[in-house]
Amino acid sequence: MSELTLYIGNKCFSSWSLRPWVAMRHLEIPFEEVLVRLRTPETAANLANVSPTGQVPVLVHKPLNHTGGMVWETLAILEYLADLFPEKKLWPADIGARALARSAATEMHSGFREVRYGWPMNLRRPKGHKPLDAEGEAQRARIEALWRECREKHGKGGPFLFGHFTAADAMYAPVVTRFDTYGGDLAPDTKAYVDAILALPAMRQWYAEAAKEPWPEPGPDE
């Protein structure tokens, strides 16, 4: 049994759960997965048993040498994993690139509300362009400009924002699904990045498992 347990929500629409999950799967960090079904009468009680905030994801670490610990915030989980597994290079080695990666990740963590609400993650929704309001379009443009900046400055070594896969890519993975679902025709550089993330075996596994979820409750925009 792994020392790490990751509690997540429904794969169809739990965007915050996807972030640490895809990082751990892609980087081959062993963990046990526990899914807490969202949007049911029992959800609040079930989450109260595993999460101090009543939300997912939550990472529980029970190493052999002490009684264990809990990390319950998505970006904090990624930081914890970066400390625990430095060889996985969840942040770029170069200090300038690392500063930009952390800035991009935290901007995603705290921002782009109109994109997130206008284009809610829903992996079973048929693809089709859905216009955003003016603020949402401005935020969409900012996301694309930020991706472009990271790629142009530090992405020459591979298809991801900083060449190799980092925590910044994990933070933007749910937004990639939104661009794919709702974005329509994408700029070539945006499409190249979206395609690179969606081609990850970990992302394909998440999509496949989301498609198998049998529950009838609607996605966030259905």
Side-chain angles (χ1 to χ4, degrees):
M1 180 177 293
S2 173
E3 295 177 354
L4 296 170
T5 301
L6 184 67
Y7 292 86
I8 64 171
N10 304 48
K11 288 178 176 172
C12 179
F13 54 80
S14 184
S15 58
W16 292 99
S17 297
L18 170 58
R19 293 176 164 108
W21 190 98
V22 73
M24 296 174 80
R25 278 283 185 261
H26 176 66
L27 297 174
E28 299 182 337
I29 297 172
F31 69 99
E32 300 291 330
E33 172 190 323
V34 178
L35 190 146
V36 180
R37 184 180 164 192
L38 306 179
R39 303 181 185 173
T40 76
E42 299 79 26
T43 294
N46 292 336
L47 286 173
N49 292 327
V50 300
S51 171
T53 63
Q55 297 177 320
V56 284
V58 172
L59 182 71
V60 175
H61 186 195
K62 295 183 178 178
L64 298 177
N65 60 343
H66 62 73
T67 57
M70 178 184 291
V71 191
W72 61 87
E73 210 355 282
T74 299
L75 194 52
I77 292 172
L78 293 169
E79 290 282 11
Y80 185 73
L81 294 170
D83 289 340
L84 203 59
F85 301 98
E87 73 280 5
K88 301 297 186 180
K89 300 180 180 179
L90 264 166
W91 297 112
D94 176 78
I95 189 170
R98 191 161 63 250
L100 179 57
R102 281 198 164 107
S103 296
T106 53
E107 187 172 351
M108 178 66 258
H109 188 271
S110 61
F112 306 127
R113 183 180 185 276
E114 301 308 317
V115 171
R116 291 188 286 111
Y117 282 83
W119 286 355
M121 186 173 116
N122 182 354
L123 302 188
R124 71 183 176 206
R125 186 184 191 277
K127 294 181 184 180
H129 179 57
K130 180 181 178 183
L132 295 164
D133 62 19
E135 180 60 27
E137 287 294 344
Q139 292 175 10
R140 169 193 170 140
R142 170 59 185 160
I143 291 170
E144 293 188 81
L146 187 55
W147 288 352
R148 194 168 294 122
E149 178 184 1
C150 295
R151 293 281 303 134
E152 290 176 353
K153 288 182 176 178
H154 302 288
K156 304 304 181 186
F160 304 111
L161 295 179
F162 294 87
H164 71 282
F165 184 91
T166 67
D169 297 296
M171 287 300 295
Y172 281 93
V175 179
V176 162
T177 76
R178 291 166 158 100
F179 272 77
D180 183 56
T181 300
Y182 303 99
D185 293 331
L186 304 176
D189 55 350
T190 298
K191 187 176 188 307
Y193 178 63
V194 166
D195 288 347
I197 293 295
L198 294 179
L200 288 169
M203 286 292 286
R204 293 201 300 267
Q205 181 183 350
W206 180 278
Y207 267 80
E209 292 174 3
K212 294 178 181 177
E213 290 179 343
W215 306 306
E217 68 266 10
D221 68 334
E222 292 179 304

